[in-house]
Amino acid sequence: MTPTPLVSIVSPFYNEGQGVDLYYRSVTEFIDNFPQARFEVICVDDGSRDDTLTRLKDLAARDGRFRVVELSRNFGKEAALTAGIDFACGEAVIPLDADLQDPPELIADMISQWQAGADVVVARRNDRSVDTFLKRKSAEWFYRLHNRMSSLAIPENVGDFRLMDRAAVDALKQLPEQERFMKGLFAWVGFRTTTLEYVRRERSVGKSKFSGWKLWNFALDGITSFSTIPLRIWTYIGLFIAMMSLAYAAFIVARTLITGVDVPGYASLIVVILFLGSLQLISVGVLGEYIGRIYIESKRRPKYLVRKVYEKNQS
Ligand code: UDP
Ligand code: MG
């Protein structure tokens, strides 16, 4: 580590036009008052449809520490973050949300932990009171379910806001998957990790880009990326039902032998048929989830496409 190391801050922007100035002010206020490190800031415009890009270009033209990577369309936060991390040159890299929900001041503590020997410094939000009840609960269930099903534990309430040493970043860049569930990938690479606590603030301006449906799909991505239990569980469910059926068959045969043929049974038959039919549909659906992901991975398309990079003294 050099005496004043270069630290990269990476921020994905999607329709955050109103927040760009505030972002610039907060970030520069922090880095101007932190001479112990040099900073570069990579702002990734993830195909915004408002004036985000124009405003970011202004920043890059004004301040040489800011570089702007324009993606060719909206690729989603995970891909935008991946793009930013790929462009970062620092000895440490820090993803920071553009909406300032992650306080830039915490970076000072992250850097001192890093200088004390940690490879990764994660920030855990110790209070989710800015989130709705539903979001809090669903996040809690997600972590519980995920960590039970996968051999890889994702630390609870830890988002993308963290510091990663160059070694961890290079390890992360080696992971070839196209579908990038960053939280999981960050956890997968491991390295010596320290945790800091912080209070997550409200968004500076604008609305969250993650609706309930998007979060649901995000959770599915997370689970299918790191666990095959949803695929394997059908074997056990199948075995269990087969054993039950055998026992029931034996019971029916015995009863028919003793009390004769028994015709009524429409209700029980239809229940069993519907139940097994829906189980089969669910299991086919689970297969589909995985096959869909194998299909996407097998196409080997790039994770994102860059339209242009803007930096000072370059057009
Ligand atoms: N974001 C992005 N692409 C998207 C959606 C979001 O780059 O398709 C960025 C967004 O601009 C913000 C960060 O990802 O900087 C987190 O998004 P948001 O604040 O909406 O998520 P939340 O904090 O509600 O989880
Ligand atoms: Mg946010």
Side-chain angles (χ1 to χ4, degrees):
M1 203 183 298
T2 43
T4 44
L6 179 69
V7 174
S8 308
I9 296 177
V10 173
S11 297
F13 285 74
Y14 178 54
N15 294 345
E16 306 279 3
Q18 298 164 293
V20 171
D21 288 333
L22 195 63
Y23 169 85
Y24 179 73
R25 278 205 301 277
S26 311
V27 171
T28 46
E29 186 184 285
F30 170 74
I31 63 186
D32 288 343
N33 295 308
F34 196 84
Q36 297 91 315
R38 289 172 300 130
F39 288 91
E40 64 163 3
V41 185
I42 317 278
C43 301
V44 182
D45 174 57
D46 186 16
S48 299
R49 272 182 282 269
D50 63 356
D51 58 351
T52 305
L53 181 66
T54 330
R55 286 172 185 246
L56 287 178
K57 282 200 279 193
D58 272 3
L59 296 193
R62 213 165 42 201
D63 191 328
R65 296 168 296 185
F66 286 71
R67 275 199 290 159
V68 176
V69 177
E70 180 193 355
L71 301 188
S72 64
R73 63 171 171 84
N74 178 250
F75 281 90
K77 180 181 177 186
E78 310 299 295
L81 202 56
T82 306
I85 291 173
D86 288 347
F87 272 83
C89 311
E91 286 159 69
V93 176
I94 303 177
L96 177 77
D97 274 4
D99 56 10
L100 297 174
Q101 286 197 284
D102 312 323
E105 310 83 71
L106 200 70
I107 293 175
D109 294 338
M110 288 181 165
I111 291 178
S112 56
Q113 293 287 336
W114 172 50
Q115 285 173 328
D119 299 319
V120 177
V121 186
V122 301
R124 186 197 298 133
R125 37 202 300 205
N126 50 20
D127 142 74
R128 294 187 77 110
S129 56
V130 300
D131 287 341
T132 60
F133 176 76
L134 201 66
K135 194 163 176 184
R136 277 206 300 273
K137 276 288 157 213
S138 55
E140 193 187 311
W141 291 332
F142 168 73
Y143 286 114
R144 208 176 286 169
L145 188 69
H146 182 280
N147 292 348
R148 196 164 282 184
M149 291 211 287
S150 159
S151 54
L152 176 88
I154 295 182
E156 215 167 309
N157 294 333
V158 170
D160 298 330
F161 187 36
R162 62 184 61 222
L163 178 146
M164 283 173 289
D165 182 73
R166 178 46 55 187
V169 174
D170 288 341
L172 187 70
K173 282 162 77 169
Q174 280 177 26
L175 303 187
E177 45 253 84
Q178 320 292 111
E179 203 63 59
R180 295 186 87 74
F181 184 69
M182 293 307 260
K183 266 186 218 206
L185 300 182
F186 287 146
W188 190 88
V189 296
F191 286 85
R192 221 184 305 158
T193 304
T194 325
T195 307
L196 297 175
E197 305 266 326
Y198 79 112
V199 178
R200 194 163 162 90
R201 294 193 292 224
E202 303 255 12
R203 251 177 168 277
S204 59
V205 286
K207 281 206 306 265
S208 171
K209 310 291 182 295
F210 288 88
S211 61
W213 179 241
K214 239 173 139 181
L215 281 174
W216 164 253
N217 284 313
F218 190 51
L220 280 187
D221 276 343
I223 287 171
T224 52
S225 297
F226 290 94
S227 170
T228 52
I229 284 187
L231 285 176
R232 280 181 289 153
I233 198 167
W234 297 103
T235 318
Y236 301 102
I237 295 178
L239 277 175
F240 176 71
I241 293 179
M243 271 165 359
M244 300 277 286
S245 315
L246 271 181
Y248 188 53
F251 167 73
I252 294 177
V253 169
R255 196 180 57 179
T256 313
L257 286 178
I258 296 164
T259 64
V261 182
D262 179 17
V263 177
Y266 173 76
S268 57
L269 269 182
I270 203 77
V271 166
V272 168
I273 289 173
L274 288 179
F275 178 68
L276 284 183
S278 44
L279 269 191
Q280 280 168 348
L281 284 181
I282 295 171
S283 59
V284 170
V286 172
L287 287 180
E289 287 289 333
Y290 281 90
I291 292 172
R293 278 165 175 80
I294 296 170
Y295 176 59
I296 288 175
E297 292 292 330
S298 68
K299 284 191 281 197
R300 311 266 77 194
R301 286 189 185 145
K303 302 167 192 116
Y304 56 84
L305 287 176
V306 174
R307 180 171 172 273
K308 210 167 168 182
V309 178
Y310 305 88
E311 35 198 349
K312 205 174 175 183
N313 307 327
Q314 282 191 358
S315 63

